[in-house]
Amino acid sequence: MIGWFSRRSARAADDGRWVVLDVESSGLDPKRDRLLAIAGIAVHREPDGAPRVRFADSFEVVLRQPEVAVDKANILVHGIGVGAQRQGVEPAQALAAFERWAGAAPLIGFHVAFDEALIQRAMRAALGRSLPNTWIDLADVAQVARPDVPGRSLDEWMDALGIRCAVRHQAAADTLATAELLLRLWPQVLAQGEGDDWRALARLAAQRRWLPR
């Protein structure tokens, strides 16, 4: 079943809407493992310029898996059982729905390269195309915006900034935690002087490539 709660119409990307996302997968190898689920929530710029999470503008889908290999350890991590995987939405339908919902918004995730690789591979396999959106890694943004925090994993950043997550390793909950991290980092993003829109996030993420690991 596709959970798609937005009432917005399709529109060109602007500075007013960003998409925070997370995926669940059958393993940790984005070149081999399967995309099981996608969750996303939109962050909208308010008239005062501040970003706010819009719960009414969110998305969640489990993709149908034609041949589900029972991996109990993996299922215990993400909680998507064999029955849910077999009864999910056909990949082409699920991915087309995500594409429509995301529109041209920038796509933001924590260690987003993994999410990007899984989604783009699934898009090419099911629809014969890739998403052209800008992808922004919030992990890189965080390390530039808050160099005083020694966090690397999402859990470490959540602990450092007092963010609570109802169910870790569940796509919708992790997406909300990532969105809250973005909001907590926003004052420091502005302080970097790179702008006051999503392009500032992209610039900070790019800066991380030049810093020592």
Side-chain angles (χ1 to χ4, degrees), residues 135-170:
W135 297 76
I136 300 173
D137 192 342
L138 193 61
D140 287 343
V141 174
Q143 291 194 25
V144 176
R146 289 293 306 270
D148 56 311
V149 177
R152 293 294 180 270
S153 69
L154 181 57
D155 286 304
E156 289 173 329
W157 278 99
M158 288 168 56
D159 287 344
L161 301 185
I163 297 170
R164 298 291 174 258
C165 182
V167 186
R168 280 289 281 122
H169 304 297
Q170 196 274 338

Coordinates of all heavy atoms in Angstrom, one line a residue, residues 135-170:
W135 N 20.8 15.4 -4.9 CA 20.8 14.6 -3.6 C 21.8 15.3 -2.7 O 22.9 15.7 -3.1 CB 21.3 13.2 -3.9 CG 20.4 12.4 -4.8 CD1 20.2 12.6 -6.2 CD2 19.5 11.4 -4.4 NE1 19.3 11.7 -6.6 CE2 18.8 10.9 -5.6 CE3 19.2 10.8 -3.2 CZ2 17.9 9.9 -5.6 CZ3 18.3 9.8 -3.2 CH2 17.6 9.4 -4.3
I136 N 21.4 15.4 -1.4 CA 22.2 16.1 -0.4 C 22.4 15.2 0.8 O 21.4 14.7 1.4 CB 21.6 17.4 0.0 CG1 21.4 18.4 -1.2 CG2 22.4 18.1 1.1 CD1 20.6 19.6 -0.9
D137 N 23.7 15.0 1.2 CA 24.0 14.2 2.4 C 24.0 15.0 3.6 O 24.9 15.9 3.8 CB 25.3 13.5 2.2 CG 25.6 12.4 3.2 OD1 24.9 12.3 4.2 OD2 26.4 11.5 2.9
L138 N 23.0 14.8 4.5 CA 22.9 15.6 5.7 C 24.1 15.2 6.7 O 24.5 16.1 7.5 CB 21.6 15.4 6.4 CG 21.3 16.3 7.5 CD1 21.2 17.8 7.0 CD2 19.9 15.9 8.2
A139 N 24.7 14.0 6.5 CA 25.8 13.7 7.4 C 27.0 14.6 7.1 O 27.7 15.1 8.0 CB 26.2 12.2 7.1
D140 N 27.2 14.9 5.8 CA 28.3 15.9 5.5 C 27.9 17.3 5.9 O 28.8 18.0 6.4 CB 28.5 15.8 4.0 CG 29.2 14.6 3.5 OD1 29.8 13.9 4.3 OD2 29.1 14.3 2.3
V141 N 26.7 17.7 5.8 CA 26.3 19.0 6.2 C 26.5 19.1 7.7 O 27.0 20.2 8.2 CB 24.8 19.2 5.9 CG1 24.3 20.6 6.5 CG2 24.5 19.2 4.4
A142 N 26.1 18.1 8.5 CA 26.3 18.2 9.9 C 27.7 18.4 10.4 O 28.0 19.2 11.3 CB 25.7 16.9 10.5
Q143 N 28.6 17.7 9.7 CA 30.0 17.8 10.2 C 30.6 19.1 9.9 O 31.5 19.6 10.6 CB 30.8 16.6 9.5 CG 30.4 15.3 10.1 CD 31.4 14.2 9.7 OE1 32.6 14.4 9.5 NE2 30.9 13.0 9.7
V144 N 30.2 19.8 8.8 CA 30.6 21.1 8.5 C 30.0 22.2 9.4 O 30.6 23.1 9.9 CB 30.4 21.5 7.0 CG1 30.9 22.9 6.7 CG2 31.2 20.5 6.1
A145 N 28.7 22.0 9.6 CA 27.9 23.0 10.4 C 28.2 22.9 11.9 O 28.2 23.9 12.6 CB 26.4 22.8 10.1
R146 N 28.5 21.7 12.3 CA 28.7 21.5 13.8 C 30.0 20.7 14.0 O 30.0 19.6 14.4 CB 27.5 20.8 14.4 CG 26.3 21.6 14.6 CD 26.4 22.8 15.5 NE 26.9 22.3 16.9 CZ 26.1 22.0 17.9 NH1 24.8 22.0 17.7 NH2 26.6 21.6 19.0
P147 N 31.2 21.3 13.7 CA 32.4 20.6 13.9 C 32.7 20.3 15.3 O 33.6 19.4 15.6 CB 33.5 21.5 13.3 CG 32.8 22.9 13.4 CD 31.4 22.7 13.2
D148 N 32.0 20.9 16.3 CA 32.2 20.6 17.7 C 31.6 19.3 18.1 O 31.9 18.8 19.2 CB 31.6 21.8 18.5 CG 30.1 22.0 18.2 OD1 29.8 22.1 17.0 OD2 29.3 22.0 19.2
V149 N 30.7 18.7 17.3 CA 30.1 17.5 17.6 C 30.8 16.3 16.9 O 31.0 16.3 15.7 CB 28.6 17.5 17.2 CG1 27.9 16.1 17.5 CG2 27.9 18.6 17.9
P150 N 31.3 15.3 17.7 CA 32.1 14.2 17.1 C 31.2 13.1 16.5 O 31.7 12.0 16.3 CB 32.9 13.7 18.3 CG 32.0 13.9 19.5 CD 31.3 15.2 19.2
G151 N 30.0 13.4 16.2 CA 29.0 12.4 15.7 C 29.4 11.9 14.3 O 29.9 12.7 13.4
R152 N 29.2 10.7 14.0 CA 29.3 10.1 12.7 C 28.0 9.4 12.3 O 27.5 9.6 11.2 CB 30.5 9.1 12.7 CG 31.9 9.8 12.8 CD 32.2 10.7 11.7 NE 33.5 11.3 11.9 CZ 33.8 12.4 12.5 NH1 32.7 13.1 13.0 NH2 35.0 12.9 12.6
S153 N 27.5 8.6 13.1 CA 26.3 7.9 12.8 C 25.1 8.7 13.2 O 25.2 9.7 13.9 CB 26.2 6.6 13.6 OG 26.0 6.8 15.0
L154 N 23.9 8.4 12.6 CA 22.7 9.1 13.0 C 22.4 9.0 14.4 O 21.9 10.0 15.1 CB 21.5 8.6 12.1 CG 20.1 9.3 12.4 CD1 20.2 10.8 12.1 CD2 19.1 8.6 11.5
D155 N 22.6 7.8 15.0 CA 22.4 7.7 16.5 C 23.2 8.6 17.3 O 22.8 9.2 18.3 CB 22.7 6.2 16.9 CG 21.6 5.2 16.4 OD1 20.4 5.5 16.8 OD2 21.9 4.3 15.7
E156 N 24.5 8.8 16.9 CA 25.4 9.7 17.6 C 24.9 11.1 17.5 O 24.9 11.9 18.5 CB 26.8 9.6 17.1 CG 27.5 8.2 17.5 CD 28.8 8.0 16.8 OE1 29.0 8.5 15.6 OE2 29.7 7.4 17.4
W157 N 24.4 11.6 16.3 CA 23.9 12.9 16.2 C 22.6 13.1 17.0 O 22.4 14.1 17.6 CB 23.7 13.2 14.7 CG 25.0 13.6 14.1 CD1 25.8 12.9 13.3 CD2 25.6 14.9 14.1 NE1 26.9 13.6 12.9 CE2 26.8 14.8 13.4 CE3 25.3 16.1 14.8 CZ2 27.7 15.9 13.2 CZ3 26.1 17.2 14.6 CH2 27.3 17.1 13.9
M158 N 21.8 12.1 17.0 CA 20.6 12.2 17.8 C 20.9 12.3 19.2 O 20.3 13.1 19.9 CB 19.7 10.9 17.5 CG 19.1 10.9 16.1 SD 18.3 9.3 15.7 CE 17.2 9.1 17.1
D159 N 21.8 11.5 19.7 CA 22.2 11.6 21.1 C 22.8 13.0 21.5 O 22.4 13.6 22.5 CB 23.2 10.5 21.5 CG 22.6 9.1 21.5 OD1 21.4 9.0 21.6 OD2 23.3 8.1 21.5
A160 N 23.6 13.5 20.6 CA 24.3 14.8 20.8 C 23.3 15.9 20.9 O 23.5 16.9 21.7 CB 25.3 15.0 19.8
L161 N 22.3 15.9 20.0 CA 21.3 17.0 19.9 C 20.0 16.7 20.6 O 19.1 17.5 20.4 CB 21.1 17.3 18.4 CG 22.4 17.7 17.7 CD1 22.1 18.2 16.3 CD2 23.2 18.9 18.4
G162 N 19.9 15.6 21.3 CA 18.7 15.4 22.1 C 17.4 15.0 21.2 O 16.3 15.3 21.6
I163 N 17.7 14.3 20.1 CA 16.6 13.9 19.2 C 16.1 12.5 19.5 O 17.0 11.6 19.7 CB 17.0 14.0 17.7 CG1 17.4 15.4 17.4 CG2 16.0 13.4 16.8 CD1 18.1 15.6 16.0
R164 N 14.8 12.3 19.6 CA 14.3 11.0 20.0 C 13.6 10.4 18.7 O 13.0 11.1 17.9 CB 13.3 11.1 21.1 CG 13.9 11.6 22.4 CD 14.8 10.6 23.0 NE 15.5 11.1 24.2 CZ 16.8 11.5 24.2 NH1 17.5 11.5 23.0 NH2 17.4 11.9 25.3
C165 N 13.8 9.1 18.6 CA 13.2 8.4 17.4 C 12.4 7.2 18.0 O 12.9 6.4 18.8 CB 14.3 7.9 16.5 SG 13.7 7.0 15.0
A166 N 11.1 7.1 17.6 CA 10.2 6.1 18.2 C 10.7 4.7 17.9 O 10.7 3.8 18.7 CB 8.8 6.3 17.7
V167 N 11.1 4.5 16.6 CA 11.5 3.1 16.2 C 12.7 3.3 15.2 O 12.4 3.6 14.0 CB 10.4 2.3 15.5 CG1 10.8 0.9 15.2 CG2 9.1 2.4 16.3
R168 N 13.9 3.0 15.7 CA 15.0 3.1 14.8 C 15.0 2.0 13.7 O 14.5 0.9 14.0 CB 16.3 3.1 15.6 CG 16.7 4.4 16.2 CD 17.1 5.4 15.2 NE 18.5 5.2 14.7 CZ 18.9 5.0 13.5 NH1 18.0 5.0 12.5 NH2 20.2 4.9 13.2
H169 N 15.5 2.3 12.6 CA 15.6 1.4 11.4 C 14.2 1.0 10.9 O 14.0 -0.1 10.4 CB 16.4 0.1 11.8 CG 17.8 0.4 12.3 ND1 18.8 1.0 11.6 CD2 18.3 0.2 13.6 CE1 19.8 1.2 12.3 NE2 19.6 0.7 13.5
Q170 N 13.3 2.0 11.1 CA 12.0 1.9 10.4 C 12.0 3.2 9.6 O 12.1 4.3 10.1 CB 10.9 1.8 11.4 CG 9.6 1.4 10.8 CD 8.8 2.6 10.3 OE1 9.0 3.7 10.7 NE2 7.8 2.3 9.4

